[in-house]
């Protein structure tokens, strides 16, 4: 399987798992796991898809860059955990005894969700944007994260006692080793400390960077600084018991900063051509909007024509045929209009260059002075291509 196909397959799996989690969320109603914030859970379930979406775009274009795969791992781990939590809530709280495996679902979700958030975030910070650590001296942080994740998962899966998200249910596979609970309790804050080191590594890379790379890193670096500041802020807010509805402000602040990470990378991609996939994004925006527009036009025209033609003809064959011809005729003009809108909104430089060339073509039809035409051509090349140097050589006509 190619890297691109694998990346988009993982993205598709994340979408399916999110859909499953949302369906179970609706079915479960007020039967929620411990630490749940009601409707905010559904919002986070959808927002998490930003990680695998950005990750799939990067991994499909640059499979050797670890950033894309880390974002995919973040999305997959979170969507698996959310789907398991909703299943556990149904099996243990909403309809106890009707389906098996509720305790296992809650246990695995607890073991997966924190590494999927914290560990991958640390690795993104220490390797952005190249997918490699800034220097050899930072390799220890990668191995420390790996060891910490293993310790957290083992400690969570095997420690006896109640489940974190379902405290009325005991661990189905407890192992009576005294050190296991301590391992799990230490591994979680250790990942928080590793997160600080990841931000330090990103800050060092940002300080040494120049030009386009500095612009690429700037979005994530500023967001990382906000994340570092949010830790003491959220700790302070926890003691104030401030809430928005029933949701603590501290949880909202931390979740907002964390979920903004794929947004920051997406902005770097769109604004500074990071990973050279702006063309892929452009096509995705254009053809996604085109599909929705033409699909809505097709369905609407079929329904309208069936209503209009039903007194005259039986069945929907004529309405479908006319609607198909209508959509086919609309394809090119609608695509051009959407392309212009996307270029104007997200790819302004390309849009301005196209407008400049169009204006030059219009002037070219009426321009008779060869010197003025040459100066105009040089100006257009400078504005659109922005070369370091430009010159024009004109061959004298043979007499």
């Amino acid at each position: 399987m190619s890297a691109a196909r694998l990346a988009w397959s993982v993205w598709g799996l994340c979408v399916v798992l999110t859909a499953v989690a949302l369906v179970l969320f609706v079915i479960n109603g007020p039967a929620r796991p411990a630490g749940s914030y009601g409707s905010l859970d559904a919002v986070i379930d959808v927002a998490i898809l930003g990680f695998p979406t950005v990750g799939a775009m990067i991994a499909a274009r640059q499979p050797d860059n670890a950033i894309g795969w880390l974002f995919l791992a973040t999305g997959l781990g979170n969507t698996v955990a959310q789907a398991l939590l909703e299943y556990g809530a149904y099996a243990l709280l909403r309809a106890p005894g009707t389906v098996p495996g509720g305790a296992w679902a809650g246990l695995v979700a607890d073991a997966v969700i924190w590494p999927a958030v914290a560990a991958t975030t640390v690795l993104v910070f220490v390797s952005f944007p190249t997918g490699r650590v800034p220097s050899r001296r930072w390799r220890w942080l990668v191995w420390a994260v790996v060891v910490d994740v293993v310790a957290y998962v083992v400690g969570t899966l095997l420690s006896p006692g109640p489940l974190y998200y379902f405290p009325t249910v005991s661990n189905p596979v407890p192992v009576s080793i005294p050190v296991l609970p301590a391992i799990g309790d230490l591994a979680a804050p250790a990942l928080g400390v590793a997160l600080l080191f990841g931000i330090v590594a990103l800050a060092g890379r940002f300080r040494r960077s120049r030009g386009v790379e500095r612009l690429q890193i700037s979005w994530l670096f500023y967001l990382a600084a906000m994340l570092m500041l949010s830790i003491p802020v959220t700790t302070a807010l926890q003691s104030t018991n401030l809430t928005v509805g029933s949701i603590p402000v501290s949880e909202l602040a931390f979740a907002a900063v964390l979920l903004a990470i794929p947004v920051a990378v997406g902005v770097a991609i769109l604004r500074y051509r990071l990973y050279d996939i702006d063309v892929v994004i452009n096509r995705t925006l254009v053809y996604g909007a085109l599909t929705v527009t033409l699909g809505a036009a097709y369905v609407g025209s079929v329904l309208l024509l069936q209503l209009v033609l039903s007194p005259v003809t039986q069945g929907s064959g004529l309405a479908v045929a006319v609607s198909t011809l209508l959509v086919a005729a609309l394809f090119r003009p609608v695509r051009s209009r959407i392309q212009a809108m996307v270029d104007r909104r997200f790819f302004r430089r390309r849009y301005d260059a196209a407008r400049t060339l169009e204006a030059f073509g219009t002037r070219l039809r009426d321009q008779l002075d060869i010197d003025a035409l040459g100066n105009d051509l040089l100006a257009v090349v400078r504005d659109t291509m922005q070369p370091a140097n430009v010159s024009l050589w004109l061959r004298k006509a043979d007499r």
Side-chain angles (χ1 to χ4, degrees):
M1 180 182 291
S2 66
R5 186 173 299 177
L6 175 61
W8 287 111
S9 297
V10 173
W11 177 85
L13 179 58
C14 292
V15 173
V16 171
L17 289 170
T18 299
V20 171
L22 292 176
V23 170
L24 290 174
F25 173 85
V26 174
I27 294 174
N28 290 334
R32 306 299 306 146
S36 171
Y37 298 111
S39 57
L40 179 62
D41 292 350
V43 175
I44 292 177
D45 288 349
V46 176
I48 285 292
L49 288 177
F51 284 93
T53 300
V54 174
M57 290 190 295
I58 296 172
R61 185 73 174 183
Q62 295 285 339
D64 294 332
N65 193 304
I67 299 297
W69 301 110
L70 287 172
F71 274 176
L72 284 169
T74 301
L76 183 60
N78 276 276
T79 53
V80 166
Q82 295 302 331
L84 289 175
L85 282 178
E86 296 297 341
Y87 179 83
Y90 180 83
L92 299 174
L93 305 176
R94 180 68 174 82
T98 58
V99 292
W104 280 97
L107 178 63
V108 174
D110 187 15
V112 168
I113 193 168
W114 176 239
V117 174
T120 54
T121 301
V122 174
L123 297 178
V124 166
F125 284 163
V126 79
S127 60
F128 185 83
T130 62
R132 298 183 296 274
V133 294
S135 62
R136 290 186 176 181
R137 65 176 181 172
W138 285 104
R139 290 181 179 176
W140 70 268
L141 182 58
V142 176
W143 287 109
V145 169
V146 173
V147 172
D148 190 271
V149 167
V150 173
Y152 179 86
V153 172
V154 172
T156 301
L157 290 177
L158 302 181
S159 295
L163 301 181
Y164 177 81
Y165 290 104
F166 303 99
T168 60
V169 179
S170 297
N171 188 336
V173 284
V175 175
S176 298
I177 300 177
V179 74
L180 277 179
I183 290 176
D185 293 339
L186 291 175
L191 276 178
V193 175
L195 183 62
L196 296 179
F197 280 104
I199 295 173
V200 171
L202 183 65
R205 193 193 292 264
F206 176 75
R207 184 175 57 84
R208 294 189 300 270
S209 62
R210 295 292 183 272
V212 175
E213 184 181 16
R214 187 178 183 85
L215 296 174
Q216 293 171 347
I217 297 174
S218 61
W219 287 92
L220 188 60
F221 173 65
Y222 294 142
L223 185 62
M226 291 177 60
L227 184 63
M228 184 169 61
L229 292 174
S230 71
I231 295 175
V233 171
T234 53
T235 303
L237 287 174
Q238 286 175 350
S239 62
T240 64
N241 296 321
L242 291 176
T243 61
V244 177
S246 60
I247 304 170
V249 173
S250 59
E251 298 292 337
L252 280 175
F254 187 78
V257 175
L258 193 64
L259 293 173
I261 291 176
V263 177
V265 175
V267 169
I269 292 170
L270 288 170
R271 184 65 183 85
Y272 301 115
R273 298 175 61 87
L274 185 59
Y275 303 126
D276 196 29
I277 64 171
D278 54 338
V279 175
V280 177
I281 297 173
N282 186 296
R283 294 292 184 269
T284 302
L285 292 173
V286 170
Y287 286 102
L290 181 65
T291 300
V292 172
T293 302
L294 293 183
Y298 179 78
V299 173
S301 62
V302 168
L303 295 177
L304 180 61
L305 288 173
Q306 283 181 347
L307 182 64
V308 172
L309 298 176
S310 58
V312 180
T313 181
Q314 298 293 328
S316 60
L318 181 59
V320 171
V322 173
S323 299
T324 302
L325 293 174
L326 176 64
V327 169
L330 288 175
F331 179 85
R332 187 178 296 274
V334 172
R335 178 189 174 280
S336 300
R337 184 66 61 89
I338 293 175
Q339 181 73 68
M341 182 180 65
V342 169
D343 288 342
R344 183 171 60 252
R345 184 65 181 85
F346 297 101
F347 300 89
R348 189 72 195 190
R349 181 175 175 182
R350 171 179 173 176
Y351 176 78
D352 291 340
R355 293 291 299 272
T356 301
L357 291 173
E358 182 181 351
F360 175 70
T362 302
R363 294 194 302 271
L364 184 62
R365 291 195 295 267
D366 302 325
Q367 185 61 261
L368 299 177
D369 188 343
I370 192 66
D371 292 330
L373 180 61
N375 293 332
D376 201 4
L377 178 60
L378 292 175
V380 169
V381 171
R382 291 193 189 96
D383 291 340
T384 57
M385 306 300 293
Q386 297 183 354
N389 296 288
V390 59
S391 60
L392 177 64
W393 176 76
L394 297 176
R395 179 183 177 182
K396 292 184 178 180
D398 296 333
R399 296 183 180 277

